[in-house]
Amino acid sequence: MKTSNKLKIFNDPIYGFITIPNSDIFDLIEHKYFQRLRRISQMGMSYLVYPGANHTRFHHAIGCMYLMQKAVNVLRFKGVNISDEEERALYIAILLHDIGHGPFSHNYVFKIKLY
């Protein structure tokens, strides 16, 4: 029987080290629908102006989970009762918030009318 360590750490260029909180979240991130986000740009065509703008929806979702982890910790510190089930649901919701986006779904076409 092959076992794997599902508690991983991402080294994010913006937030630093991001831990995967549990094996359920790891399994969600490993799913092919979530992995598809690695190929979809979060920044639209911004890379044409800013060559370093290579942010994908995968990076974005992982960063959102990190911020949600911080928010849960702050709320608990302030005395808000958040159950483990609610915490798990928050992480799942934040990870999946962009799952339906297609490529270039944030591209906007601005038309300038010159007189």
Side-chain angles (χ1 to χ4, degrees):
M1 183 166 100
K2 183 180 176 184
T3 61
S4 65
N5 180 4
K6 294 185 176 185
L7 300 178
K8 302 291 183 186
I9 298 173
F10 286 99
N11 188 2
D12 185 78
I14 297 171
Y15 299 117
F17 294 113
I18 299 174
T19 59
I20 305 301
N22 59 53
S23 62
D24 292 335
I25 300 301
F26 176 85
D27 290 340
L28 174 66
I29 291 170
E30 286 295 303
H31 193 278
K32 66 180 182 177
Y33 293 150
F34 193 84
Q35 288 295 311
R36 168 186 163 273
L37 298 177
R38 288 182 183 269
R39 299 185 308 271
I40 300 175
S41 175
Q42 175 70 14
M43 303 298 292
M45 297 174 64
S46 298
Y47 70 93
L48 295 171
V49 178
Y50 304 101
N54 295 335
H55 199 65
T56 66
R57 296 218 182 260
F58 180 87
H59 294 119
H60 170 68
I62 296 297
C64 289
M65 182 189 68
Y66 170 78
L67 294 175
M68 183 62 74
Q69 288 172 325
K70 290 183 74 77
V72 166
N73 289 335
V74 167
L75 289 170
R76 283 184 171 153
F77 179 77
K78 291 184 175 190
V80 176
N81 185 21
I82 299 174
S83 70
D84 291 340
E85 185 177 307
E86 290 170 326
E87 179 182 16
R88 182 176 171 269
L90 287 167
Y91 297 154
I92 291 170
I94 201 69
L95 282 170
L96 296 179
H97 83 275
D98 271 348
I99 202 76
H101 280 293
F104 303 108
S105 60
H106 281 194
N107 282 352
Y108 302 106
V109 177
F110 296 101
K111 294 182 180 180
I112 300 172
K113 192 171 187 178
L114 301 174
Y115 295 96

